[in-house]
Amino acid sequence: MSEPASVPRATALREIHEKAGATLVDFAGWLMPLRYGSETAEHKAVREAAGLFDLSHMGEIRLSGPQAAAALDYALVGHLSKVKVGRARYTMITDADGGVLDDLIVYRLGEQEYLVVANAANAPVVSAALAERAEGFDVQVSDESADHALIAIQGPRAVEILAPLTDADLDSIRYYAGYEHTVAGQPVLLARTGYTGEDGFEIFVRPAADAPRVWEALMAAGADHGLVPAGLSARDTLRMEAGMPLYGQELTAELTPFDAGLGRVVKFDKDGDFVGRAALEKASRTARARRLIGLVAQGRRPLRRGQEVQRDGVTVGTITSGAPSPTLGRPIAMAYVDGDLDTATGTFTVDVRGRGEAVDVVELPFYQRQP
């Protein structure tokens, strides 16, 4: 007798998504909106006006106590004790061999309090690793993922849509900063962070049951500003255009931050040991086995994950993420190639069902917002 398939968890916004006609899919154990209609239209709305995302599948882990900063300095590759209250930091958690277990955003909520935001599928791993690594420190680790909903409003019109609904002075909130405010009368953590390459905010709602009120207030406020709900498909093409890595594709436990070109997040200048330090110091001194590059197709055939990258007919790498770019109007991809490969010479192609698709090698990101 076979075991019953697990049922994906629903977010507090499920009924709203269903009423909006969303296509719901199982993503990392959560029932999430893939699209509401056209993912291309949702993508363009975020670039030109604003989009609203349900990100409630992400994990939230709180560290509180006199040694919360010291515990995170030991557990993560970043220097979290240097983060000022109200600011956030992009960082990673690795294993002892330097392999990336997850990439994270860490918010410093107070002198002795942090909120670690992990990718949905990795939240249990990150929570368990933080609890284990915090042993011996005077700190409490609490996985609050089930208590939070997370809504993101992203796009050039995010400020004017959000401003009438909050007590915050949005102009005073810098990029990668987060403070406790209200949105639609609900107490929230309001952070100027995101994963689309656009200006915008992430709104942590606790308890999660209050999220529908916040979502509906934002949709009403944005009705005349081009705001649309946006799903996972648009989120993926937006982050690809912005050159942002995705765990499970550009980041894995088999790769160090240096392989992904993100060695800058590893802070060797902090005091004391941290998990992965010895392996990462070695990785920082040795030639990289792999290197992440950007590809833009010369034709129209989509580039997909797993396709081989060839230089002058010889396989030199593999695509990790690929999709048509609504902004560039051409297929784009990120790929790992041999670390010592000269990408300035030679003819590059991607093997698309046995036929070489001509591509150009470009610097990441593919798209950068103009200030």
Side-chain angles (χ1 to χ4, degrees):
M1 185 177 181
S2 61
E3 295 182 0
S6 59
V7 177
R9 298 168 65 182
T11 76
L13 298 165
R14 175 179 177 171
E15 289 188 12
I16 287 177
H17 300 323
E18 290 176 335
K19 289 179 181 176
T23 300
L24 297 171
V25 297
D26 183 349
F27 180 80
W30 288 83
L31 197 61
M32 302 299 296
L34 183 65
R35 66 179 73 84
Y36 297 82
S38 163
E39 60 258 43
T40 300
E42 292 165 19
H43 179 114
K44 290 183 175 179
V46 174
R47 289 278 181 256
E48 297 168 3
L52 199 61
F53 297 85
D54 178 7
L55 308 180
S56 301
H57 58 312
M58 303 293 279
E60 291 87 9
I61 302 132
R62 187 180 300 264
L63 279 80
S64 305
Q67 291 188 295
L72 285 172
D73 277 350
Y74 173 71
L76 309 180
V77 301
H79 200 169
L80 285 310
S81 60
K82 288 188 66 176
V83 178
K84 295 181 179 179
V85 173
R87 300 307 306 271
R89 182 71 51 84
Y90 176 80
T91 186
M92 294 181 183
I93 182 169
T94 73
D95 59 23
D97 295 327
V100 179
L101 296 178
D102 202 7
D103 61 334
L104 312 164
I105 295 180
V106 179
Y107 299 89
R108 189 165 195 172
L109 307 180
E111 289 295 338
Q112 300 182 5
E113 188 169 6
Y114 291 80
L115 189 69
V116 178
V117 179
N119 286 295
N122 293 334
V125 172
V126 174
S127 178
L130 288 176
E132 180 182 353
R133 297 176 188 189
E135 290 180 1
F137 292 92
D138 186 1
V139 60
Q140 182 177 358
V141 181
S142 306
D143 188 341
E144 299 180 346
S145 302
D147 302 332
H148 282 85
L150 176 55
I151 297 169
I153 180 168
Q154 299 278 296
R157 305 193 74 174
V159 169
E160 61 185 301
I161 294 169
L162 180 57
L165 299 177
T166 181
D167 63 346
D169 175 7
L170 298 180
D171 290 337
S172 69
I173 301 179
R174 298 164 61 190
Y175 189 50
Y176 266 71
Y179 304 94
E180 292 182 350
H181 284 290
T182 64
V183 173
Q186 302 290 339
V188 301
L189 171 63
L190 181 62
R192 199 164 202 154
T193 47
Y195 194 55
T196 63
E198 295 297 335
D199 187 19
F201 297 85
E202 294 184 313
I203 305 165
F204 295 81
V205 185
R206 187 184 184 203
D210 291 337
R213 179 176 173 183
V214 175
W215 179 280
E216 289 174 341
L218 286 164
M219 285 300 299
D224 295 331
H225 299 280
L227 178 68
V228 303
L232 293 175
S233 288
R235 181 171 162 84
D236 196 44
T237 50
L238 288 160
R239 71 94 191 166
M240 262 193 278
E241 286 183 353
M244 296 176 173
L246 178 65
Y247 194 86
Q249 295 184 206
E250 284 74 41
L251 300 173
T252 72
E254 285 69 48
L255 297 166
T256 73
F258 295 96
D259 293 317
L262 295 169
R264 64 182 182 276
V265 306
V266 183
K267 302 302 181 186
F268 294 120
D269 59 346
K270 60 182 176 180
D271 294 333
D273 195 15
F274 63 89
V275 178
R277 177 191 274 274
L280 290 167
E281 285 181 337
K282 182 179 179 181
S284 72
R285 295 191 299 265
T286 57
R288 283 180 284 164
R290 282 161 285 194
R291 182 159 57 97
L292 192 64
I293 62 170
L295 302 173
V296 177
Q298 295 179 10
R300 297 289 179 183
R301 301 179 75 193
L303 307 178
R304 300 297 186 194
R305 183 185 180 199
Q307 292 172 339
E308 291 183 349
V309 180
Q310 299 178 333
R311 178 179 178 273
D312 297 333
V314 177
T315 298
V316 293
T318 306
I319 288 179
T320 51
S321 295
S325 164
T327 303
L328 275 65
R330 295 165 64 187
I332 60 171
M334 290 190 278
Y336 276 111
V337 297
D338 298 340
D340 60 353
L341 183 72
D342 178 8
T343 56
T345 61
T347 300
F348 283 80
T349 58
V350 170
D351 185 344
V352 181
R353 298 181 180 177
R355 197 176 84 184
E357 185 76 12
V359 295
D360 297 318
V361 178
V362 301
E363 294 287 331
L364 295 172
F366 301 99
Y367 165 85
Q368 197 156 22
R369 176 173 62 93
Q370 298 301 311

